[in-house]
Amino acid sequence: MSTHQVTMLFLALAAITLLAFAAGALARRLRQPPVIGEVLLGVLLGPTLLNGAVSDALFPEDIRPSLAALANIGVALFMFTVGAELDAGLMRGRRFVAGSVAVGSIILPFLLGALLALYLFARHPTDDRTGFVLFMGAAMSVTAFPVLARILTDRGMQRTWLGMVALACAAIDDVLAWTLLAVVVAMSGAGTGSQWLLLLFVPYVVLMLTVVRPVLHRLLEHQWLTGPANPAAMVLTLGGLLLSAAFTEWIGLHFIFGAFVFGTVMPRRTTRGEPSDVTGQVRERLSSLNDFLLLPMFFVVAGLKVDLSGMTGTDLMELGLILATAVGGKFVGAFVAARATGMQNRPATALAVLINTRGLTELIILTVGLQLGALDAELYSVMVVMALVTTAMTGPLLQLLYPVRPAPPGTGPAVPPAGRAGEDKSPSSPARRRIM
């Protein structure tokens, strides 16, 4: 890189860091997840405003490959944390409800998204019609586990029965959505690998579960790898997730799958059954840089590809159809499944609202779709708007169903009123029976 390119790259990094922090802070002031402000920043810095004059000045074409590379690293680290945060313990005592709602909130939006894709294909043709239909179905089925967890934490609902069921549903949804996306990627034949290399994915997963997981458990229990100040655990984790990401990219899948799978095999407990702090420490240290620099880089790179300046009446009609399919499919699927398990209307409605959260997970899937050629630039832009709307609506709708009572000064975050979202979550409690 020339001196000019290096200078512009550092200036771009500084601008992204400062602007993304300000946008996230503004979103929090408006009681929205920071990801809303950061994604909107990326869109506004793109060609939507002033014909791309701002983006051309801040991010010249010759440094955009470097920005894209940093964005990919940020996405890989994020997918690792998503996998590492999935906890089978969320299912304890909630398997029937969480499984039923998760399946309902996947199947209906997937089918509706596939049907909508058949209509959209005429205006947005691709080389692979089947891949396009499957991709649209998968994109409609997503729930953003990390964003949902943040919303519940901000509202003091993460330890309530409803909050734990919502997290369990989102975890199942994430696994099913990534599986569907893997099928789409495999069918597309994209990537650097040949088709036969995709056959290595099954033994790879088996190896990760049967060999890598127990080895990681034992290594990360050694005294020389433990402790927040010891870099050995961090180096081992970083090396493992990068190798795993490189492998899935090489066989023809996307690198996000390798990072995600490596996160899922990180230890939550020691071999003696005691809680393990190592994974949490590593995740926290990786998130520090990622949240303030690398992920905002992803938002900017994604936003540079969004152009809403030329939207026509037909585009607006498509946006309406996509929103109706995404919101309606998720809501009806989750609500009907929740009611079928015995939930009453109010908690079933709240759960269906929470499951509609999409956020960053949806943006990653849309970016993959754009890279694969499953989406053109116009449809990608409209789908990004859908991701923003479905994430932004969660907080206000949840406030209507479970209004938060302001906490006294100095006592921590606001909490839901007793007898609503803040019920005792023990299976035998009267509050638990009320929410059911």
mmCIF file with all atom_site columns, all heavy atoms in Angstrom, residues 117-137:
data_model
loop_
_atom_site.group_PDB
_atom_site.id
_atom_site.type_symbol
_atom_site.label_atom_id
_atom_site.label_alt_id
_atom_site.label_comp_id
_atom_site.label_asym_id
_atom_site.label_entity_id
_atom_site.label_seq_id
_atom_site.pdbx_PDB_ins_code
_atom_site.Cartn_x
_atom_site.Cartn_y
_atom_site.Cartn_z
_atom_site.occupancy
_atom_site.B_iso_or_equiv
_atom_site.pdbx_formal_charge
_atom_site.auth_seq_id
_atom_site.auth_comp_id
_atom_site.auth_asym_id
_atom_site.auth_atom_id
_atom_site.pdbx_PDB_model_num
ATOM 1   N N   . ALA A 1 117 ? -40.559 -15.499 -2.900  1.00 0.00 ? 117 ALA A N   1
ATOM 2   C CA  . ALA A 1 117 ? -39.415 -15.533 -3.809  1.00 0.00 ? 117 ALA A CA  1
ATOM 3   C C   . ALA A 1 117 ? -39.843 -15.904 -5.229  1.00 0.00 ? 117 ALA A C   1
ATOM 4   O O   . ALA A 1 117 ? -39.279 -15.402 -6.211  1.00 0.00 ? 117 ALA A O   1
ATOM 5   C CB  . ALA A 1 117 ? -38.367 -16.516 -3.293  1.00 0.00 ? 117 ALA A CB  1
ATOM 6   N N   . LEU A 1 118 ? -40.828 -16.781 -5.346  1.00 0.00 ? 118 LEU A N   1
ATOM 7   C CA  . LEU A 1 118 ? -41.317 -17.155 -6.679  1.00 0.00 ? 118 LEU A CA  1
ATOM 8   C C   . LEU A 1 118 ? -41.891 -15.942 -7.405  1.00 0.00 ? 118 LEU A C   1
ATOM 9   O O   . LEU A 1 118 ? -41.762 -15.812 -8.632  1.00 0.00 ? 118 LEU A O   1
ATOM 10  C CB  . LEU A 1 118 ? -42.375 -18.254 -6.563  1.00 0.00 ? 118 LEU A CB  1
ATOM 11  C CG  . LEU A 1 118 ? -41.880 -19.597 -6.008  1.00 0.00 ? 118 LEU A CG  1
ATOM 12  C CD1 . LEU A 1 118 ? -43.054 -20.558 -5.824  1.00 0.00 ? 118 LEU A CD1 1
ATOM 13  C CD2 . LEU A 1 118 ? -40.833 -20.208 -6.943  1.00 0.00 ? 118 LEU A CD2 1
ATOM 14  N N   . TYR A 1 119 ? -42.523 -15.048 -6.644  1.00 0.00 ? 119 TYR A N   1
ATOM 15  C CA  . TYR A 1 119 ? -43.056 -13.818 -7.227  1.00 0.00 ? 119 TYR A CA  1
ATOM 16  C C   . TYR A 1 119 ? -41.941 -12.825 -7.536  1.00 0.00 ? 119 TYR A C   1
ATOM 17  O O   . TYR A 1 119 ? -41.937 -12.179 -8.600  1.00 0.00 ? 119 TYR A O   1
ATOM 18  C CB  . TYR A 1 119 ? -44.079 -13.201 -6.273  1.00 0.00 ? 119 TYR A CB  1
ATOM 19  C CG  . TYR A 1 119 ? -44.467 -11.793 -6.630  1.00 0.00 ? 119 TYR A CG  1
ATOM 20  C CD1 . TYR A 1 119 ? -45.338 -11.541 -7.684  1.00 0.00 ? 119 TYR A CD1 1
ATOM 21  C CD2 . TYR A 1 119 ? -43.943 -10.712 -5.917  1.00 0.00 ? 119 TYR A CD2 1
ATOM 22  C CE1 . TYR A 1 119 ? -45.685 -10.240 -8.020  1.00 0.00 ? 119 TYR A CE1 1
ATOM 23  C CE2 . TYR A 1 119 ? -44.291 -9.409  -6.243  1.00 0.00 ? 119 TYR A CE2 1
ATOM 24  C CZ  . TYR A 1 119 ? -45.160 -9.174  -7.297  1.00 0.00 ? 119 TYR A CZ  1
ATOM 25  O OH  . TYR A 1 119 ? -45.495 -7.882  -7.636  1.00 0.00 ? 119 TYR A OH  1
ATOM 26  N N   . LEU A 1 120 ? -40.976 -12.693 -6.622  1.00 0.00 ? 120 LEU A N   1
ATOM 27  C CA  . LEU A 1 120 ? -39.909 -11.714 -6.793  1.00 0.00 ? 120 LEU A CA  1
ATOM 28  C C   . LEU A 1 120 ? -38.913 -12.103 -7.878  1.00 0.00 ? 120 LEU A C   1
ATOM 29  O O   . LEU A 1 120 ? -38.188 -11.248 -8.396  1.00 0.00 ? 120 LEU A O   1
ATOM 30  C CB  . LEU A 1 120 ? -39.160 -11.519 -5.469  1.00 0.00 ? 120 LEU A CB  1
ATOM 31  C CG  . LEU A 1 120 ? -39.948 -10.902 -4.310  1.00 0.00 ? 120 LEU A CG  1
ATOM 32  C CD1 . LEU A 1 120 ? -39.095 -10.897 -3.043  1.00 0.00 ? 120 LEU A CD1 1
ATOM 33  C CD2 . LEU A 1 120 ? -40.390 -9.478  -4.655  1.00 0.00 ? 120 LEU A CD2 1
ATOM 34  N N   . PHE A 1 121 ? -38.853 -13.362 -8.192  1.00 0.00 ? 121 PHE A N   1
ATOM 35  C CA  . PHE A 1 121 ? -37.819 -13.846 -9.125  1.00 0.00 ? 121 PHE A CA  1
ATOM 36  C C   . PHE A 1 121 ? -37.928 -13.177 -10.494 1.00 0.00 ? 121 PHE A C   1
ATOM 37  O O   . PHE A 1 121 ? -36.910 -12.983 -11.177 1.00 0.00 ? 121 PHE A O   1
ATOM 38  C CB  . PHE A 1 121 ? -37.911 -15.363 -9.272  1.00 0.00 ? 121 PHE A CB  1
ATOM 39  C CG  . PHE A 1 121 ? -36.781 -15.957 -10.057 1.00 0.00 ? 121 PHE A CG  1
ATOM 40  C CD1 . PHE A 1 121 ? -35.532 -16.147 -9.473  1.00 0.00 ? 121 PHE A CD1 1
ATOM 41  C CD2 . PHE A 1 121 ? -36.946 -16.317 -11.388 1.00 0.00 ? 121 PHE A CD2 1
ATOM 42  C CE1 . PHE A 1 121 ? -34.478 -16.688 -10.194 1.00 0.00 ? 121 PHE A CE1 1
ATOM 43  C CE2 . PHE A 1 121 ? -35.897 -16.854 -12.119 1.00 0.00 ? 121 PHE A CE2 1
ATOM 44  C CZ  . PHE A 1 121 ? -34.667 -17.040 -11.525 1.00 0.00 ? 121 PHE A CZ  1
ATOM 45  N N   . ALA A 1 122 ? -39.131 -12.816 -10.906 1.00 0.00 ? 122 ALA A N   1
ATOM 46  C CA  . ALA A 1 122 ? -39.307 -12.198 -12.227 1.00 0.00 ? 122 ALA A CA  1
ATOM 47  C C   . ALA A 1 122 ? -38.553 -10.871 -12.317 1.00 0.00 ? 122 ALA A C   1
ATOM 48  O O   . ALA A 1 122 ? -37.969 -10.553 -13.358 1.00 0.00 ? 122 ALA A O   1
ATOM 49  C CB  . ALA A 1 122 ? -40.792 -11.990 -12.511 1.00 0.00 ? 122 ALA A CB  1
ATOM 50  N N   . ARG A 1 123 ? -38.545 -10.092 -11.237 1.00 0.00 ? 123 ARG A N   1
ATOM 51  C CA  . ARG A 1 123 ? -37.848 -8.792  -11.232 1.00 0.00 ? 123 ARG A CA  1
ATOM 52  C C   . ARG A 1 123 ? -36.402 -8.902  -10.779 1.00 0.00 ? 123 ARG A C   1
ATOM 53  O O   . ARG A 1 123 ? -35.603 -8.001  -11.025 1.00 0.00 ? 123 ARG A O   1
ATOM 54  C CB  . ARG A 1 123 ? -38.563 -7.799  -10.313 1.00 0.00 ? 123 ARG A CB  1
ATOM 55  C CG  . ARG A 1 123 ? -39.850 -7.246  -10.878 1.00 0.00 ? 123 ARG A CG  1
ATOM 56  C CD  . ARG A 1 123 ? -40.257 -5.973  -10.153 1.00 0.00 ? 123 ARG A CD  1
ATOM 57  N NE  . ARG A 1 123 ? -39.385 -4.855  -10.499 1.00 0.00 ? 123 ARG A NE  1
ATOM 58  C CZ  . ARG A 1 123 ? -38.837 -4.045  -9.609  1.00 0.00 ? 123 ARG A CZ  1
ATOM 59  N NH1 . ARG A 1 123 ? -39.020 -4.251  -8.311  1.00 0.00 ? 123 ARG A NH1 1
ATOM 60  N NH2 . ARG A 1 123 ? -38.080 -3.031  -9.999  1.00 0.00 ? 123 ARG A NH2 1
ATOM 61  N N   . HIS A 1 124 ? -36.061 -9.977  -10.087 1.00 0.00 ? 124 HIS A N   1
ATOM 62  C CA  . HIS A 1 124 ? -34.702 -10.137 -9.551  1.00 0.00 ? 124 HIS A CA  1
ATOM 63  C C   . HIS A 1 124 ? -34.159 -11.520 -9.912  1.00 0.00 ? 124 HIS A C   1
ATOM 64  O O   . HIS A 1 124 ? -33.870 -12.334 -9.039  1.00 0.00 ? 124 HIS A O   1
ATOM 65  C CB  . HIS A 1 124 ? -34.712 -9.949  -8.032  1.00 0.00 ? 124 HIS A CB  1
ATOM 66  C CG  . HIS A 1 124 ? -35.356 -8.674  -7.585  1.00 0.00 ? 124 HIS A CG  1
ATOM 67  N ND1 . HIS A 1 124 ? -34.693 -7.461  -7.599  1.00 0.00 ? 124 HIS A ND1 1
ATOM 68  C CD2 . HIS A 1 124 ? -36.614 -8.413  -7.124  1.00 0.00 ? 124 HIS A CD2 1
ATOM 69  C CE1 . HIS A 1 124 ? -35.508 -6.519  -7.160  1.00 0.00 ? 124 HIS A CE1 1
ATOM 70  N NE2 . HIS A 1 124 ? -36.671 -7.066  -6.865  1.00 0.00 ? 124 HIS A NE2 1
ATOM 71  N N   . PRO A 1 125 ? -34.031 -11.786 -11.217 1.00 0.00 ? 125 PRO A N   1
ATOM 72  C CA  . PRO A 1 125 ? -33.597 -13.130 -11.625 1.00 0.00 ? 125 PRO A CA  1
ATOM 73  C C   . PRO A 1 125 ? -32.141 -13.397 -11.245 1.00 0.00 ? 125 PRO A C   1
ATOM 74  O O   . PRO A 1 125 ? -31.305 -12.493 -11.199 1.00 0.00 ? 125 PRO A O   1
ATOM 75  C CB  . PRO A 1 125 ? -33.768 -13.098 -13.147 1.00 0.00 ? 125 PRO A CB  1
ATOM 76  C CG  . PRO A 1 125 ? -33.642 -11.643 -13.513 1.00 0.00 ? 125 PRO A CG  1
ATOM 77  C CD  . PRO A 1 125 ? -34.231 -10.890 -12.356 1.00 0.00 ? 125 PRO A CD  1
ATOM 78  N N   . THR A 1 126 ? -31.846 -14.642 -10.943 1.00 0.00 ? 126 THR A N   1
ATOM 79  C CA  . THR A 1 126 ? -30.483 -15.086 -10.656 1.00 0.00 ? 126 THR A CA  1
ATOM 80  C C   . THR A 1 126 ? -30.192 -16.327 -11.488 1.00 0.00 ? 126 THR A C   1
ATOM 81  O O   . THR A 1 126 ? -31.084 -16.866 -12.163 1.00 0.00 ? 126 THR A O   1
ATOM 82  C CB  . THR A 1 126 ? -30.305 -15.426 -9.164  1.00 0.00 ? 126 THR A CB  1
ATOM 83  O OG1 . THR A 1 126 ? -31.110 -16.574 -8.846  1.00 0.00 ? 126 THR A OG1 1
ATOM 84  C CG2 . THR A 1 126 ? -30.741 -14.269 -8.271  1.00 0.00 ? 126 THR A CG2 1
ATOM 85  N N   . ASP A 1 127 ? -28.959 -16.790 -11.440 1.00 0.00 ? 127 ASP A N   1
ATOM 86  C CA  . ASP A 1 127 ? -28.590 -17.985 -12.204 1.00 0.00 ? 127 ASP A CA  1
ATOM 87  C C   . ASP A 1 127 ? -29.194 -19.253 -11.620 1.00 0.00 ? 127 ASP A C   1
ATOM 88  O O   . ASP A 1 127 ? -29.310 -20.267 -12.298 1.00 0.00 ? 127 ASP A O   1
ATOM 89  C CB  . ASP A 1 127 ? -27.054 -18.130 -12.242 1.00 0.00 ? 127 ASP A CB  1
ATOM 90  C CG  . ASP A 1 127 ? -26.396 -16.996 -13.011 1.00 0.00 ? 127 ASP A CG  1
ATOM 91  O OD1 . ASP A 1 127 ? -27.076 -16.421 -13.887 1.00 0.00 ? 127 ASP A OD1 1
ATOM 92  O OD2 . ASP A 1 127 ? -25.213 -16.689 -12.730 1.00 0.00 ? 127 ASP A OD2 1
ATOM 93  N N   . ASP A 1 128 ? -29.562 -19.211 -10.352 1.00 0.00 ? 128 ASP A N   1
ATOM 94  C CA  . ASP A 1 128 ? -30.060 -20.409 -9.664  1.00 0.00 ? 128 ASP A CA  1
ATOM 95  C C   . ASP A 1 128 ? -31.385 -20.068 -8.992  1.00 0.00 ? 128 ASP A C   1
ATOM 96  O O   . ASP A 1 128 ? -31.416 -19.497 -7.899  1.00 0.00 ? 128 ASP A O   1
ATOM 97  C CB  . ASP A 1 128 ? -29.028 -20.882 -8.626  1.00 0.00 ? 128 ASP A CB  1
ATOM 98  C CG  . ASP A 1 128 ? -29.439 -22.175 -7.938  1.00 0.00 ? 128 ASP A CG  1
ATOM 99  O OD1 . ASP A 1 128 ? -30.533 -22.701 -8.257  1.00 0.00 ? 128 ASP A OD1 1
ATOM 100 O OD2 . ASP A 1 128 ? -28.680 -22.655 -7.080  1.00 0.00 ? 128 ASP A OD2 1
ATOM 101 N N   . ARG A 1 129 ? -32.485 -20.432 -9.634  1.00 0.00 ? 129 ARG A N   1
ATOM 102 C CA  . ARG A 1 129 ? -33.804 -20.109 -9.091  1.00 0.00 ? 129 ARG A CA  1
ATOM 103 C C   . ARG A 1 129 ? -34.063 -20.850 -7.778  1.00 0.00 ? 129 ARG A C   1
ATOM 104 O O   . ARG A 1 129 ? -34.584 -20.266 -6.824  1.00 0.00 ? 129 ARG A O   1
ATOM 105 C CB  . ARG A 1 129 ? -34.883 -20.470 -10.102 1.00 0.00 ? 129 ARG A CB  1
ATOM 106 C CG  . ARG A 1 129 ? -36.291 -20.141 -9.630  1.00 0.00 ? 129 ARG A CG  1
ATOM 107 C CD  . ARG A 1 129 ? -37.323 -20.429 -10.701 1.00 0.00 ? 129 ARG A CD  1
ATOM 108 N NE  . ARG A 1 129 ? -38.668 -20.119 -10.241 1.00 0.00 ? 129 ARG A NE  1
ATOM 109 C CZ  . ARG A 1 129 ? -39.748 -20.221 -10.998 1.00 0.00 ? 129 ARG A CZ  1
ATOM 110 N NH1 . ARG A 1 129 ? -39.633 -20.625 -12.265 1.00 0.00 ? 129 ARG A NH1 1
ATOM 111 N NH2 . ARG A 1 129 ? -40.937 -19.930 -10.505 1.00 0.00 ? 129 ARG A NH2 1
ATOM 112 N N   . THR A 1 130 ? -33.675 -22.111 -7.723  1.00 0.00 ? 130 THR A N   1
ATOM 113 C CA  . THR A 1 130 ? -33.883 -22.890 -6.497  1.00 0.00 ? 130 THR A CA  1
ATOM 114 C C   . THR A 1 130 ? -33.104 -22.292 -5.332  1.00 0.00 ? 130 THR A C   1
ATOM 115 O O   . THR A 1 130 ? -33.612 -22.167 -4.215  1.00 0.00 ? 130 THR A O   1
ATOM 116 C CB  . THR A 1 130 ? -33.462 -24.355 -6.700  1.00 0.00 ? 130 THR A CB  1
ATOM 117 O OG1 . THR A 1 130 ? -34.212 -24.913 -7.775  1.00 0.00 ? 130 THR A OG1 1
ATOM 118 C CG2 . THR A 1 130 ? -33.699 -25.170 -5.437  1.00 0.00 ? 130 THR A CG2 1
ATOM 119 N N   . GLY A 1 131 ? -31.849 -21.900 -5.600  1.00 0.00 ? 131 GLY A N   1
ATOM 120 C CA  . GLY A 1 131 ? -31.038 -21.282 -4.572  1.00 0.00 ? 131 GLY A CA  1
ATOM 121 C C   . GLY A 1 131 ? -31.644 -19.976 -4.085  1.00 0.00 ? 131 GLY A C   1
ATOM 122 O O   . GLY A 1 131 ? -31.624 -19.669 -2.888  1.00 0.00 ? 131 GLY A O   1
ATOM 123 N N   . PHE A 1 132 ? -32.215 -19.189 -5.004  1.00 0.00 ? 132 PHE A N   1
ATOM 124 C CA  . PHE A 1 132 ? -32.852 -17.925 -4.637  1.00 0.00 ? 132 PHE A CA  1
ATOM 125 C C   . PHE A 1 132 ? -34.056 -18.168 -3.739  1.00 0.00 ? 132 PHE A C   1
ATOM 126 O O   . PHE A 1 132 ? -34.246 -17.487 -2.723  1.00 0.00 ? 132 PHE A O   1
ATOM 127 C CB  . PHE A 1 132 ? -33.283 -17.189 -5.906  1.00 0.00 ? 132 PHE A CB  1
ATOM 128 C CG  . PHE A 1 132 ? -34.062 -15.926 -5.659  1.00 0.00 ? 132 PHE A CG  1
ATOM 129 C CD1 . PHE A 1 132 ? -33.440 -14.791 -5.187  1.00 0.00 ? 132 PHE A CD1 1
ATOM 130 C CD2 . PHE A 1 132 ? -35.435 -15.884 -5.902  1.00 0.00 ? 132 PHE A CD2 1
ATOM 131 C CE1 . PHE A 1 132 ? -34.158 -13.620 -4.961  1.00 0.00 ? 132 PHE A CE1 1
ATOM 132 C CE2 . PHE A 1 132 ? -36.160 -14.724 -5.682  1.00 0.00 ? 132 PHE A CE2 1
ATOM 133 C CZ  . PHE A 1 132 ? -35.517 -13.586 -5.204  1.00 0.00 ? 132 PHE A CZ  1
ATOM 134 N N   . VAL A 1 133 ? -34.880 -19.154 -4.101  1.00 0.00 ? 133 VAL A N   1
ATOM 135 C CA  . VAL A 1 133 ? -36.075 -19.467 -3.307  1.00 0.00 ? 133 VAL A CA  1
ATOM 136 C C   . VAL A 1 133 ? -35.685 -19.924 -1.907  1.00 0.00 ? 133 VAL A C   1
ATOM 137 O O   . VAL A 1 133 ? -36.248 -19.476 -0.899  1.00 0.00 ? 133 VAL A O   1
ATOM 138 C CB  . VAL A 1 133 ? -36.918 -20.539 -4.024  1.00 0.00 ? 133 VAL A CB  1
ATOM 139 C CG1 . VAL A 1 133 ? -38.031 -21.053 -3.108  1.00 0.00 ? 133 VAL A CG1 1
ATOM 140 C CG2 . VAL A 1 133 ? -37.507 -19.977 -5.310  1.00 0.00 ? 133 VAL A CG2 1
ATOM 141 N N   . LEU A 1 134 ? -34.708 -20.820 -1.829  1.00 0.00 ? 134 LEU A N   1
ATOM 142 C CA  . LEU A 1 134 ? -34.267 -21.317 -0.518  1.00 0.00 ? 134 LEU A CA  1
ATOM 143 C C   . LEU A 1 134 ? -33.629 -20.197 0.304   1.00 0.00 ? 134 LEU A C   1
ATOM 144 O O   . LEU A 1 134 ? -33.831 -20.122 1.529   1.00 0.00 ? 134 LEU A O   1
ATOM 145 C CB  . LEU A 1 134 ? -33.270 -22.454 -0.696  1.00 0.00 ? 134 LEU A CB  1
ATOM 146 C CG  . LEU A 1 134 ? -33.829 -23.761 -1.275  1.00 0.00 ? 134 LEU A CG  1
ATOM 147 C CD1 . LEU A 1 134 ? -32.711 -24.769 -1.475  1.00 0.00 ? 134 LEU A CD1 1
ATOM 148 C CD2 . LEU A 1 134 ? -34.904 -24.339 -0.358  1.00 0.00 ? 134 LEU A CD2 1
ATOM 149 N N   . PHE A 1 135 ? -32.865 -19.337 -0.351  1.00 0.00 ? 135 PHE A N   1
ATOM 150 C CA  . PHE A 1 135 ? -32.224 -18.247 0.384   1.00 0.00 ? 135 PHE A CA  1
ATOM 151 C C   . PHE A 1 135 ? -33.264 -17.296 0.971   1.00 0.00 ? 135 PHE A C   1
ATOM 152 O O   . PHE A 1 135 ? -33.148 -16.888 2.132   1.00 0.00 ? 135 PHE A O   1
ATOM 153 C CB  . PHE A 1 135 ? -31.274 -17.467 -0.521  1.00 0.00 ? 135 PHE A CB  1
ATOM 154 C CG  . PHE A 1 135 ? -30.632 -16.299 0.178   1.00 0.00 ? 135 PHE A CG  1
ATOM 155 C CD1 . PHE A 1 135 ? -29.501 -16.478 0.951   1.00 0.00 ? 135 PHE A CD1 1
ATOM 156 C CD2 . PHE A 1 135 ? -31.196 -15.027 0.098   1.00 0.00 ? 135 PHE A CD2 1
ATOM 157 C CE1 . PHE A 1 135 ? -28.931 -15.410 1.632   1.00 0.00 ? 135 PHE A CE1 1
ATOM 158 C CE2 . PHE A 1 135 ? -30.636 -13.954 0.773   1.00 0.00 ? 135 PHE A CE2 1
ATOM 159 C CZ  . PHE A 1 135 ? -29.495 -14.154 1.538   1.00 0.00 ? 135 PHE A CZ  1
ATOM 160 N N   . MET A 1 136 ? -34.268 -16.917 0.197   1.00 0.00 ? 136 MET A N   1
ATOM 161 C CA  . MET A 1 136 ? -35.296 -16.005 0.705   1.00 0.00 ? 136 MET A CA  1
ATOM 162 C C   . MET A 1 136 ? -36.048 -16.635 1.867   1.00 0.00 ? 136 MET A C   1
ATOM 163 O O   . MET A 1 136 ? -36.386 -15.961 2.846   1.00 0.00 ? 136 MET A O   1
ATOM 164 C CB  . MET A 1 136 ? -36.261 -15.625 -0.423  1.00 0.00 ? 136 MET A CB  1
ATOM 165 C CG  . MET A 1 136 ? -35.664 -14.686 -1.455  1.00 0.00 ? 136 MET A CG  1
ATOM 166 S SD  . MET A 1 136 ? -35.224 -13.065 -0.767  1.00 0.00 ? 136 MET A SD  1
ATOM 167 C CE  . MET A 1 136 ? -36.839 -12.419 -0.361  1.00 0.00 ? 136 MET A CE  1
ATOM 168 N N   . GLY A 1 137 ? -36.298 -17.937 1.778   1.00 0.00 ? 137 GLY A N   1
ATOM 169 C CA  . GLY A 1 137 ? -36.942 -18.621 2.894   1.00 0.00 ? 137 GLY A CA  1
ATOM 170 C C   . GLY A 1 137 ? -36.092 -18.562 4.146   1.00 0.00 ? 137 GLY A C   1
ATOM 171 O O   . GLY A 1 137 ? -36.585 -18.281 5.245   1.00 0.00 ? 137 GLY A O   1
#
